[in-house]
Amino acid sequence: GEDVEQSLFLSVREGDSSVINCTYTDSSSTYLYWYKQEPGAGLQLLTYIFSNMDMKQDQRLTVLLNKKDKHLSLRIADTQTGDSAIYFCAEIISSNDYKLSFGAGTTVTVRA
Amino acid sequence: GAVVSQHPSRVICKSGTSVKIECRSLDFQATTMFWYRQFPKQSLMLMATSNEGSKATYEQGVEKDKFLINHASLTLSTLTVTSAHPEDSSFYICSALPRGNTEAFFGQGTRLTVV
């Protein structure tokens, strides 16, 4: 099964906040990442959090990490139509060479 | 931020032919590059890890003779899909890890369609 799990779809109204959730299995993960993928494009790193942090805020993005429950979330404040994309969470599965394990991705649709 | 250029962005090839995809780090040296494959509506699956000057390490289930990876320099890795079949049609994405860094930078991906 998947090492990293995410819900597949999220629909949100423009201007509202979006919260995307992710659970991971490797308790030794050092870094956890959020990537954004727009249609037909590669991946864009949005933000990352080190495992000894509980929260990281970067403009409209807030990452929360609950290490005990192995739960990671990404909150997007004031969601805009340009935020419509697939969002992947990922964890490092190998600290030697920084291999990443990705979740299946959450498709976020922003409606007017 | 650092730029990774992947080429081509789209390619259509006939069954049985081979296709080469290039991944270049434009403004940094990448000691490690990763190749991922993404099926429609699915996650990215790591195919292999390539380190400059050594053989690639393939993930379980990935045929190394079919997906040839060459990491000839600190700025270039290539993935060659040999004897392509329609089931190889997918979105292939590379990422490059700068020396001493924890953030890998991704290419824009290559949409391969085998007809």
Side-chain angles (χ1 to χ4, degrees), chain A residues 10-83:
Chain A
L10 176 68
S11 177
V12 62
R13 193 160 45 189
E14 190 175 9
D16 288 351
S17 292
S18 309
V19 179
I20 307 166
N21 295 302
C22 170
T23 56
Y24 61 98
T25 57
D26 189 348
S27 59
S28 64
S29 290
T30 51
Y31 288 90
L32 296 129
Y33 301 81
W34 283 104
Y35 288 89
K36 178 182 180 182
Q37 184 182 35
E38 295 180 1
L43 296 177
Q44 172 194 357
L45 178 66
L46 287 180
T47 186
Y48 64 91
I49 189 167
F50 190 51
S51 59
N52 68 352
M53 299 169 65
D54 298 324
M55 186 184 85
K56 180 178 180 181
Q57 187 153 2
D58 183 2
Q59 299 182 334
R60 292 192 297 124
L61 304 178
T62 303
V63 179
L64 295 177
L65 175 62
N66 181 328
K67 200 170 178 184
K68 174 175 168 290
D69 294 336
K70 300 192 189 71
H71 183 264
L72 181 74
S73 68
L74 174 69
R75 179 176 179 270
I76 306 173
D78 187 24
T79 311
Q80 303 297 308
T81 54
D83 295 324

Side-chain angles (χ1 to χ4, degrees), chain B residues 18-31:
Chain B
S18 295
V19 173
K20 181 186 282 188
I21 303 169
E22 292 188 348
C23 180
R24 291 182 186 272
S25 55
L26 296 187
D27 50 4
F28 65 95
Q29 292 185 332
T31 50

Side-chain angles (χ1 to χ4, degrees), chain A residues 90-110:
Chain A
E91 62 170 345
I92 285 182
I93 55 174
S94 168
S95 57
N96 290 329
D97 52 20
Y98 296 97
K99 284 194 287 193
L100 294 173
S101 176
F102 287 84
T106 300
T107 300
V108 173
T109 303
V110 181

Side-chain angles (χ1 to χ4, degrees), chain B residues 45-101:
Chain B
M45 301 300 295
L46 179 65
M47 297 175 68
T49 303
S50 78
N51 292 295
E52 186 264 339
S54 62
K55 288 185 179 179
T57 303
Y58 290 81
E59 296 300 303
Q60 193 171 7
V62 179
E63 298 175 61
K64 62 181 181 182
D65 293 330
K66 180 166 185 63
F67 298 101
L68 300 178
I69 291 172
N70 186 316
H71 193 154
S73 75
L74 285 171
T75 59
L76 174 65
S77 176
T78 60
L79 167 68
T80 302
V81 183
T82 63
S83 187
H85 286 269
E87 56 264 33
D88 299 326
S89 298
S90 193
F91 193 55
Y92 294 85
I93 302 179
C94 71
S95 72
L97 187 69
R99 190 194 304 271
N101 207 342

